[in-house]
Structures are given as structure tokens and as C-alpha cells.
């Protein structure tokens, strides 16, 4: 079993919908939880990160971490066609977040 | 400023040939990482450099894979005697390597390797 599990999708939603993307993990030592966005034929770019538990909001994006359930989520409000991409969760147990363990990614399409 | 660049962007090779993939990190970034991304898979960590040293080579899948970094800047990933299962996108990332946490990694566009 992989340390980080992520539903690969694909997920297709209409413009304006709320999108929920999720990952589960097995390593209780993970302390940094990150979400990367990867457009087709591009490298991943960091969207946001959370340290330990709790919520973090950045514009239309909200990241949630539930360490008791070993479950993290990324919510996208008022989704836009430009949000169409693959979303990768990544986690790290080291204090500098250099050793990242990635999920397999969820492919999202937002239809205009 | 310029981001992480990788070359070539695409590489098609025959089974058994050697290939070299190049990564130019963001200027001033001391840490450099190589990952492999196969179709439908997440990023698989290969190797990490701090300066010119590689404290973590744990992800290299076999002794056919090697990497070096010179001058604390450019890095080359070499795959010898390529196999079809080596076909993937090879991604490079760099990070400042400073005390600020987390040490955010910035990715290049990748090299798409196809082994025929």
C-alpha cells in the first residue's frame, strides 16, 4: 500500500462549482501537507501548504488537514476553466519539507 | 527571474543507449532534486543534492542511474543502457536551501523520455 493515496479521477465539473480534492495517508509522522497544481506538459507548482493540522485559506482555495483521520482536502470555490489541471498532494515528515511523498494526482476539468 | 530549465524537452532513444538529462536550477538555489513521473503515477523521488553533494540517493532505481552536480548549479542525470521501463517524464526541482521553512521546491517543465 502506498504511503499517500489519491483518487486519480478524472473529475469533471461545471464552471462555478465547488471542487473537493482529497488524499489519505498512512505515515503519522507527516507534518507538512502541500498541494501542487500541474498543467499539461508543465512542472508542478506549489499552490499552498499547511503545517500540522487545521485549515488554510488563500483566495478561492482552502486546504484542510485532519491528522486524526490521516485525511487532507483541497477545496476550490467558484471553479474556473483555468483551474483545469492535475492536482497533486504531497507530504513531508522532515522539518524542512525537502523529502516529499506525492500522491498520484487528480485530473480536474472545469467545463465552461 | 528565470525559473528551473531542463533540456532536452523531449528525448527519444533506442533501448540500450545512454542518455543525459540536464537541469539548470534557479540562480542561488542550493538544493536540487530529481523526480520521475510515469503515466498516471505521482512523482517518484530519485535523488537530492545540497550544493554538489548528494546526501540522499535512496530513490535511484538501479545502478544504471547516476547524477552529478557541478559548481553548485547545473545537474546532469545519466541513464545508462536504457530500458523501455525508463520511459517517463523526468522532473528537476530546486529550492533555496535556506532556513525559511518549508524549503519550497520549484519545478522545471521536465524532460519526456521515450525508450523504443
Amino acid at each position: 500500500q502506498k504511503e499517500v493515496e489519491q483518487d486519480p479521477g478524472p473529475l469533471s465539473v461545471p464552471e462555478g462549482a465547488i471542487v473537493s480534492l482529497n488524499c489519505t495517508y498512512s505515515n503519522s509522522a507527516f507534518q507538512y501537507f502541500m498541494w501542487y497544481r500541474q498543467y499539461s506538459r508543465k512542472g508542478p507548482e506549489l499552490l499552498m501548504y499547511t503545517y500540522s493540522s487545521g485549515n488554510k485559506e488563500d483566495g478561492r482555495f482552502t486546504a484542510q488537514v485532519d491528522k486524526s483521520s490521516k485525511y487532507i482536502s483541497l477545496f476550490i470555490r467558484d471553479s474556473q476553466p483555468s483551474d483545469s489541471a492535475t492536482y497533486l498532494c504531497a507530504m513531508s515528515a522532515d522539518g524542512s519539507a525537502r523529502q516529499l511523498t506525492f500522491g498520484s494526482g487528480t485530473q480536474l476539468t472545469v467545463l465552461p | 527571474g528565470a525559473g528551473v530549465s531542463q533540456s532536452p524537452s523531449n528525448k527519444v532513444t533506442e533501448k540500450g543507449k545512454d542518455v543525459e538529462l540536464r537541469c539548470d536550477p534557479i540562480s542561488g538555489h542550493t538544493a536540487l532534486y530529481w523526480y520521475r513521473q510515469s503515466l498516471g503515477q505521482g512523482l517518484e523521488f530519485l535523488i537530492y543534492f545540497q550544493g554538489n553533494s548528494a546526501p540522499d540517493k535512496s530513490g535511484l532505481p538501479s545502478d544504471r542511474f547516476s547524477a552529478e552536480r557541478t559548481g553548485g548549479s547545473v545537474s546532469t542525470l545519466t541513464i545508462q543502457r536504457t530500458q523501455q521501463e525508463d520511459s517517463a517524464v523526468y522532473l528537476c526541482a530546486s529550492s533555496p536551501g535556506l532556513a525559511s521553512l518549508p524549503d519550497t521546491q520549484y519545478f522545471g517543465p521536465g524532460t519526456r523520455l521515450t525508450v523504443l
Side-chain angles (χ1 to χ4, degrees), chain B residues 4-114:
Chain B
V4 178
S5 61
Q6 294 186 245
S7 60
S9 55
N10 285 283
K11 176 72 177 178
V12 180
T13 191
E14 293 180 346
K15 178 182 173 181
K17 301 282 190 183
D18 297 352
V19 295
E20 284 190 353
L21 312 179
R22 177 187 168 109
C23 173
D24 284 85
I26 294 173
S27 178
H29 280 193
T30 62
L32 185 146
Y33 314 76
W34 284 98
Y35 294 88
R36 178 167 71 175
Q37 187 174 33
S38 302
L39 189 63
Q41 302 295 312
L43 276 67
E44 175 190 7
F45 170 80
L46 298 178
I47 189 169
Y48 151 66
F49 288 91
Q50 180 60 46
N52 293 334
S53 302
D56 190 351
K57 303 180 182 180
S58 61
L60 293 177
S62 75
D63 58 8
R64 296 187 295 106
F65 288 73
S66 62
E68 66 174 11
R69 189 179 185 196
T70 55
S73 181
V74 173
S75 176
T76 303
L77 177 69
T78 301
I79 308 174
Q80 296 178 309
R81 305 181 301 282
T82 52
Q83 303 294 312
Q84 289 183 330
E85 61 263 29
D86 299 334
S87 296
V89 176
Y90 289 82
L91 290 159
C92 174
S94 69
S95 67
L98 301 176
S100 61
L101 301 174
D103 194 14
T104 301
Q105 296 180 29
Y106 297 83
F107 284 83
T111 293
R112 186 172 298 269
L113 175 66
T114 303

Side-chain angles (χ1 to χ4, degrees), chain A residues 32-109:
Chain A
Y32 276 104
F33 302 90
M34 297 168 162
W35 287 96
Y36 280 81
R37 178 175 62 195
Q38 185 176 22
Y39 291 115
S40 181
R41 303 266 174 170
K42 302 288 187 184
E45 58 177 333
L46 180 66
L47 263 181
M48 54 197 307
Y49 75 91
T50 307
Y51 178 74
S52 192
S53 285
N55 296 355
K56 189 171 186 178
E57 188 173 320
D58 185 1
R60 296 184 296 110
F61 298 87
T62 300
Q64 287 186 350
V65 174
D66 183 348
K67 294 191 80 175
S68 62
S69 301
K70 295 190 178 68
Y71 187 89
I72 71 169
S73 300
L74 177 71
F75 297 96
I76 307 174
R77 291 184 301 279
D78 187 26
S79 55
Q80 303 295 308
S82 58
D83 296 328
S84 299
T86 296
Y87 290 79
L88 298 149
C89 62
M91 308 180 188
S92 180
D94 75 274
S96 61
R98 289 185 187 142
Q99 293 178 304
L100 297 178
T101 303
F102 282 84
S104 57
T106 299
Q107 186 179 343
L108 171 67
T109 301

